[in-house]
Amino acid sequence: MARAHWGCCPWLVLLCACAWGHTKPVDLGGQDVRNCSTNPPYLPVTVVNTTMSLTALRQQMQTQNLSAYIIPGTDAHMNEYIGQHDERRAWITGFTGSAVVTMKKAAVWTDSRYWTQAERQMDCNWELHKEVGTTPIVTWLLTEIPAGGRVGFDPFLLSIDTWESYDLALQGSNRQLVSITTNLVDLVWGSERPPVPNQPIYALQEAFTGSTWQEKVSGVRSQMQKHQKVPTAVLLSALEETAWLFNLRASDIPYNPFFYSYTLLTDSSIRLFANKSRFSSETLSYLNSSCTGPMCVQIEDYSQVRDSIQAYSLGDVRIWIGTSYTMYGIYEMIPKEKLVTDTYSPVMMTKAVKNSKEQALLKASHVRDAVAVIRYLVWLEKNVPKGTVDEFSGAEIVDKFRGEEQFSSGPSFETISASGLNAALAHYSPTKELNRKLSSDEMYLLDSGGQYWDGTTDITRTVHWGTPSAFQKEAYTRVLIGNIDLSRLIFPAATSGRMVEAFARRALWDAGLNYGHGTGHGIGNFLCVHEWPVGFQSNNIAMAKGMFTSIEPGYYKDGEFGIRLEDVALVVEAKTKYPGSYLTFEVVSFVPYDRNLIDVSLLSPEHLQYLNRYYQTIREKVGPELQRRQLLEEFEWLQQHTEPLAARAPDTASWASVLVVSTLAILGWSV
């Protein structure tokens, strides 16, 4: 691997990144990458020169007497997507993946999705480590930092768990972790750093909320009183928590309608930490900000949260936090004896279960979303044979169709539009410069979603307009069977999603196939497209009536094709023969599967019955909306693609052979 051209100074810059959900790998191919072994080295035009920024950063480190400085690839709220203002990792490295730097060496740790991208974007100050995880980074850190060294970090960019992992690894090594609240990269970035977003923070109309913010505050306070440790306050750090609690939205974070904020909700006061200038007089009135009572929201400056928490902690208090979304910068200000900790805050747990109004809102958004996706599939059938559609232009079209739907507020994540071998990369997204043409001879995978005032959507469909191979049809059908098997499953209430997710894999396992990603995630009401803590992973909470989750099995043949079928489903009570508390799923995504890829012979009568009921539901839900809007071509397409599926009739010749053999056996003749 290429070595950085630096002297023997022992200082370090460590950059870590969190990978979650829809990450952004780019299939860049192997052309035009750097070559650091020549003199001078060859650098493609896509490389960013980082020499000056690294030099300036090291000067800042020297003023703090640091041997190392940690720069995580996240923001202060553990957001899945981060705003330009917080893209410190990309700015200091020139590369959008995970990285590590020293004045002696500079290195990047990343998985195979990013190897070529790294070689195209990094200059020769950096070396590439083709592995991921905390262990190799910590091992390297201990090797590079001398005994007695000080490792600085921004406490607002390390989660409690991440801080504990570094602290534990450095214990007994004669190396010290040092919390520095002034971010050194920001000092170097200076005036080039994008400004903090300043768009208005607005209140959702009551028609799009399940409860008033006053009702939600009262509910959380009730949970505080019932808690065994009777906390006096709840501290909310995740942006979605504050957005949900007050029914407020903005656009600070890509694809998510959030704003930079914290909330300290006590038994007698409400403090919202945000930029007050972003609230209109109407919104301030909506929050009762002109008074000081227990149902009055006091707006304090976002930057004052640490000092305010420290001051509040001086009293006889107990502060309840969710450790999964609280950064060390807050955690270190609260005396341990005054902490009440759970993995997730009461707000995160409460919003995971949608009330009846929220359920109706989310279902309605999925009907309109289905209209947009069906319009796109009809458009593709007409235009792909012309050879005029590529992955990127296709993604633009489906985003355009969604934008034309009522209550639309943009996509819920970067559209995954993948043709042929690119679909084998589970989270591939095209760019304007790098994409493939869509072809009738290849599979096409579309994973996309929308933000609407009443709900967030996420749906994946895989199609083939030509003649798929027998293996492609079998793999697709087994993925479909997995989707059906989990969707129709009846299971005891309070069962963990992890306990049942194998049902989505069983049909694939039977044939020796599998997929390497999760089977599903929670989803919000105009909030996160990947809403924790609902889902099928080991750290998700148990399933409960009123939760929404995606169900998305897949199969990926490297270098050839990829399949994923994703629906969003509501957890509902199941009707069972005998009394008991059982749950099942009600699918609320309403786009038919590709008939061209279904091998009906692999489907059981129960699978066929389920599919035909589902198709009838699609007709009833989406058909009238298409007719109302005079989308007659799309309505005809829907009718055609939701025709009942019938079991394949036995082959006539095969039945004749069986009849002959049976007759001979009856006569006592051997065959």
Side-chain angles (χ1 to χ4, degrees):
M1 62 184 65
R3 304 304 293 267
H5 297 176
W6 289 100
C8 297
C9 300
W11 298 331
L12 167 71
V13 181
L14 174 62
L15 293 87
C16 308
C18 299
W20 186 21
H22 295 279
T23 53
K24 187 184 175 183
V26 181
D27 181 20
L28 290 165
Q31 300 80 22
D32 200 24
V33 298
R34 66 180 184 164
N35 183 352
C36 295
S37 63
T38 62
N39 189 16
Y42 171 74
L43 301 175
V45 295
T46 47
V47 155
V48 174
N49 188 326
T50 62
T51 299
M52 291 182 64
S53 57
L54 284 173
T55 300
L57 178 60
R58 288 173 177 128
Q59 290 171 350
Q60 292 293 337
M61 291 164 57
Q62 194 168 16
T63 64
Q64 298 285 343
N65 190 28
L66 297 178
S67 303
Y69 188 61
I70 302 173
I71 311 172
T74 186
D75 64 11
H77 303 275
M78 296 289 287
N79 285 303
E80 176 181 4
Y81 300 101
I82 62 175
Q84 292 182 340
H85 180 77
D86 290 312
E87 288 277 9
R88 299 175 178 91
R89 175 191 61 197
W91 181 80
I92 196 68
T93 66
F95 168 57
T96 53
S98 309
V100 174
V101 184
T102 75
M103 291 183 74
K104 178 180 179 182
K105 298 179 182 177
V108 164
W109 278 257
T110 187
D111 64 43
S112 59
R113 295 172 300 165
Y114 296 96
W115 291 347
T116 301
Q117 183 183 359
E119 297 285 13
R120 286 176 58 94
Q121 292 182 324
M122 296 189 308
D123 61 15
C124 290
N125 291 320
W126 304 82
E127 62 185 37
L128 178 62
H129 290 261
K130 297 183 177 182
E131 55 186 340
V132 293
T134 301
T135 300
I137 294 176
V138 169
T139 300
W140 188 81
L141 179 62
L142 291 172
T143 301
E144 295 300 316
I145 298 175
R150 287 161 43 92
V151 182
F153 67 96
D154 182 339
F156 282 98
L157 297 182
L158 282 192
S159 68
I160 297 170
D161 288 344
T162 303
W163 172 81
E164 287 179 344
S165 68
Y166 283 114
D167 185 59
L168 182 63
L170 293 176
Q171 284 180 9
S173 67
N174 194 20
R175 295 165 177 85
Q176 178 186 1
L177 274 176
V178 182
S179 174
I180 301 174
T181 56
T182 300
N183 190 282
L184 302 189
V185 175
D186 293 349
L187 293 178
V188 176
W189 206 346
S191 61
E192 293 182 15
R193 187 185 183 199
V196 177
N198 198 36
Q199 297 89 345
I201 298 169
Y202 60 93
L204 278 177
Q205 297 176 29
E206 188 174 339
F208 301 111
T209 64
S211 307
T212 66
W213 70 260
Q214 291 92 340
E215 290 170 333
K216 294 178 178 180
V217 165
S218 296
V220 175
R221 282 177 170 157
S222 177
Q223 293 185 57
M224 292 164 57
Q225 293 167 4
K226 295 175 183 177
H227 195 286
Q228 184 179 11
K229 297 183 179 180
V230 195
T232 61
V234 171
L235 174 65
L236 305 178
S237 292
L239 300 187
E240 62 190 284
E241 295 176 316
T242 291
W244 177 88
L245 182 65
F246 298 112
N247 296 325
L248 296 173
R249 300 293 189 271
S251 55
D252 295 9
I253 307 299
Y255 308 112
N256 292 323
F258 304 151
F259 55 98
Y260 290 109
S261 58
Y262 296 91
T263 296
L264 183 66
L265 172 62
T266 79
D267 46 14
S268 59
S269 66
I270 310 170
R271 284 190 260 182
L272 170 57
F273 298 88
N275 181 349
K276 189 171 184 177
S277 68
R278 299 176 61 186
F279 295 87
S280 67
S281 58
E282 292 79 8
T283 305
L284 291 173
S285 175
Y286 160 83
L287 293 170
N288 297 334
S289 291
S290 60
C291 58
T292 58
M295 280 296 178
C296 304
V297 181
Q298 301 300 304
I299 311 296
E300 298 190 21
D301 191 81
Y302 175 81
S303 64
Q304 296 301 307
V305 63
R306 184 175 161 102
D307 292 341
S308 293
I309 295 298
Q310 184 178 31
Y312 179 77
S313 298
L314 296 175
D316 181 18
V317 300
R318 291 164 302 284
I319 303 176
W320 193 2
I321 67 170
T323 57
S324 290
Y325 286 89
T326 304
M327 293 306 207
Y328 184 75
I330 299 293
Y331 178 80
E332 70 173 339
M333 303 312 298
I334 306 173
K336 302 304 175 283
E337 67 275 10
K338 297 184 179 183
L339 270 172
V340 178
T341 61
D342 281 308
T343 303
Y344 302 107
S345 78
V347 165
M348 197 70 81
M349 296 291 287
T350 301
K351 74 178 177 61
V353 178
K354 277 59 175 174
N355 63 30
S356 58
K357 184 179 178 182
E358 290 168 325
Q359 293 174 28
L361 288 167
L362 200 47
K363 288 180 180 180
S365 72
H366 279 78
V367 171
R368 298 193 309 279
D369 196 71
V371 171
V373 175
I374 289 169
R375 288 181 66 194
Y376 179 58
L377 292 175
V378 172
W379 183 87
L380 286 174
E381 286 189 5
K382 292 189 296 185
N383 288 279
V384 168
K386 300 176 185 177
T388 58
V389 185
D390 61 51
E391 295 166 329
F392 185 77
S393 65
E396 288 186 315
I397 290 294
V398 74
D399 289 347
K400 171 181 177 292
F401 286 157
R402 276 200 173 91
E404 294 171 358
E405 291 301 315
Q406 191 177 26
F407 311 138
S408 173
S409 188
S412 57
F413 58 94
E414 185 174 26
T415 297
I416 297 171
S417 172
S419 179
L421 56 85
N422 283 343
L425 302 169
H427 299 115
Y428 164 88
S429 291
T431 66
K432 188 174 183 179
E433 297 77 21
L434 297 158
N435 55 71
R436 299 182 79 244
K437 287 278 188 181
L438 271 59
S439 167
S440 298
D441 299 323
E442 291 185 327
M443 277 192 179
Y444 173 64
L445 187 155
L446 175 76
D447 186 348
S448 62
Q451 290 284 13
Y452 304 92
W453 294 346
D454 49 352
T456 303
T457 69
D458 184 3
I459 185 171
T460 307
R461 290 295 182 263
T462 305
V463 297
H464 195 306
W465 300 284
T467 304
S469 69
F471 177 62
Q472 288 176 328
K473 292 186 68 170
E474 178 183 359
Y476 181 95
T477 307
R478 290 185 181 278
V479 171
L480 176 59
I481 291 171
N483 184 297
I484 294 172
D485 283 347
L486 186 51
S487 297
R488 64 191 289 268
L489 182 69
I490 295 174
F491 53 93
T495 297
S496 167
R498 184 65 174 170
M499 297 293 292
V500 300
E501 76 101 36
F503 283 88
R505 301 178 185 268
R506 184 173 61 178
L508 289 162
W509 287 351
D510 284 344
L513 307 177
N514 203 359
Y515 55 94
H517 56 73
T519 296
H521 53 80
I523 195 161
N525 283 81
F526 192 28
L527 287 167
C528 281
V529 71
H530 302 127
E531 184 176 81
W532 286 73
V534 177
F536 296 95
Q537 299 183 45
S538 58
N539 52 350
N540 290 136
I541 60 176
M543 291 290 176
K545 177 184 174 183
M547 291 179 173
F548 282 84
T549 181
S550 70
I551 296 175
E552 49 181 302
Y555 173 72
Y556 310 89
K557 178 69 172 174
D558 287 346
E560 295 186 24
F561 64 88
I563 301 163
R564 185 161 62 254
L565 296 175
E566 176 183 16
D567 295 309
V568 171
L570 169 64
V571 181
V572 296
E573 289 183 2
K575 296 178 181 179
T576 54
K577 181 177 180 181
Y578 300 106
S581 184
Y582 286 83
L583 303 173
T584 189
F585 297 106
E586 174 191 336
V587 173
V588 300
S589 299
F590 302 116
V591 178
Y593 308 112
D594 186 8
R595 302 170 78 92
N596 191 35
L597 281 165
I598 299 176
D599 183 348
V600 179
S601 69
L602 293 176
L603 300 178
S604 69
E606 292 77 15
H607 293 137
L608 284 168
Q609 183 183 43
Y610 174 92
L611 269 178
N612 290 332
R613 280 202 311 265
Y614 174 55
Y615 280 179
Q616 181 60 32
T617 300
I618 292 177
R619 286 186 171 190
E620 294 170 357
K621 297 285 187 182
V622 184
E625 182 68 12
L626 294 172
Q627 290 179 305
R628 184 185 68 81
R629 293 166 55 178
Q630 293 294 302
L631 295 171
L632 302 183
E633 184 179 9
E634 286 79 4
F635 177 76
E636 181 58 34
W637 182 95
L638 179 68
Q639 294 296 104
Q640 178 184 345
H641 285 75
T642 53
E643 283 290 327
L645 289 163
R648 180 175 295 172
D651 182 82
T652 303
S654 298
W655 274 108
S657 300
V658 171
L659 180 60
V660 169
V661 171
S662 300
T663 303
L664 292 174
I666 293 171
L667 295 174
W669 295 2
S670 60
V671 292

